[in-house]
Amino acid sequence: MAKAILFDSTKCTACRGCQVACKQWNNLEADETVNTGTYENPPDLSPRTWLKMRFNEVEDDGKLAWLFTRRACMHCTEAGCVKVCPTGAVYHHEEGFVAYNKDICSGCGYCVDACPFDVPRMVGSSLTGKKKMEKCVFCADRVTNDQKPACVKTCPTGALVYGDRNEMIGLAEQRVDKLAGQGVDAQLYGKDELNGLHVMYVLAHSPKDYKLPVNPEVSPSVTLWQDILKIMGYAAVGAVAGGLLLNYMVARARMVKEKEGK
Amino acid sequence: MAHHEVERFSAGARLFHWVVTLTAIVLAVTGLFLWVPAFGSLAEDSYSRIIHRVAAVILVAAPLLFFLSRPKRALTFVKHIFTWGKDDIAWLKAAPDYYFGGDEKKMPPQGEMNSGQKLWGVVAFLSVIGFIVTGALMWFAKNSIPAELFLWTTIIHDLCFIVSASMTLVHLYLGAIHPRMTESLKSMLRGKVSEEYAKSHHGKWYKEISESKENGNKEATGSH
């Protein structure tokens, strides 16, 4: 049964307890940052920051709206990172989320560029190419032991909930209806995007206002590389090898004949 | 005919050839770790990536060193492979009859390299440039170029591989396996071919070097 995290942006106060819980449970060091005049901190995801809250300031009818979004792996069903990974290090866990096996990660970093949400981060040396990918692991060690992910567990306002994906969709749709009744143009993000995300959001504005891609998709060049170019390569090399073998047999038979003729 | 031999590849050219051969094999094998899922685990902990990078540096350095040590020879080679004429079209047309059936009659006389060798030269030259440009972008500009461009550099890198790997098979076959190419491999190992072989396979070139020998001008042969 697929599981999911549901984030309700209308209940989030941006306390960032989830960020801290994530670091604590997964034993991730803090990133040293500087004050840039915003509560938003650290500025971006990193190999040791798998979850951060993004603060978006948008104008709504001349009034300022302060919108909070969760920045972390969305655990897509149609996942660019899983599709592009050449070694099979990034894969779908049977519970639906996107897991990775760090041991066989080659460090190519193709997942970084294939991710529609700009989530994976690489740690290591760019010069030697010795790197590893890091991102949210959905607290696999907790959820496979009937525990909520650390971020959900710590959330004080109930903005984060966790459970069977179908139940989460039901919960989210109820919430969207309730918000609609209050005159909020709310929507559920992630139900159908990329064949269903395992992290879904209840949003009170358009995804764009939260800096989320409105129609996220896996770049066609990932499919071109994995499904077309590789087959083309096998076909081309195979055809050439076959042609040369044929040539060898014909040319050799011809030479034997010439010798016999002499 | 007595065993007269002519020099076809200088020691420097042969060294260059075999260094590039070895480097290309290392690059191809370590690159294939990311192509063939069954080899994926061999790329573990980035070791193949480190080896790939060391080999890449050699692939850039070898032609540069060759060019710096013998600029005239390097330029002649590049000019030669990109110079195509009527004889080349005729050669390509007649080639299947020769390589399958041994029919030599229609083959126009060839220079130092025949049209097939020139075609291989062009493919190798252009694909190495493609490899180096896209490879350098992947290596040094991964974090600064847009994601989509990065995905395309991998596609172009791999296209270069498909084309050059296919042609490498042809090159390997014609150089070392085809029953009529008796002296090709030998010439790249020892540098010399028999006069007969030079006359029948590279008529124009043989004429050039015989004439320049008579004039006592060894430099013009382009093979020293």
Side-chain angles (χ1 to χ4, degrees), chain A residues 73 75-93 96-101 110-112 114-116 120 133 135 218 222 225-227 230:
Chain A
C73 177
H75 297 282
C76 321
T77 301
E78 192 197 329
C81 54
V82 174
K83 175 100 190 162
V84 84
C85 182
T87 65
V90 191
Y91 64 98
H92 279 112
H93 190 275
F97 59 87
V98 176
Y100 58 99
N101 178 352
Y110 294 1
C111 49
V112 175
C115 175
M133 183 273 273
K135 70 165 190 70
V218 175
V222 173
W225 185 63
Q226 282 290 31
D227 295 346
K230 285 193 175 181

Side-chain angles (χ1 to χ4, degrees), chain A residues 74 165 188-193 195-201:
Chain A
M74 304 295 273
R165 188 166 184 274
L188 168 58
Y189 183 86
K191 186 184 169 197
D192 301 314
E193 278 79 2
N195 285 331
L197 309 178
H198 292 84
V199 177
M200 294 179 292
Y201 292 168

Side-chain angles (χ1 to χ4, degrees), chain A residues 158-169:
Chain A
L160 284 169
V161 280
Y162 166 80
D164 285 341
R165 188 166 184 274
N166 288 334
E167 274 174 43
M168 293 301 108
I169 291 172

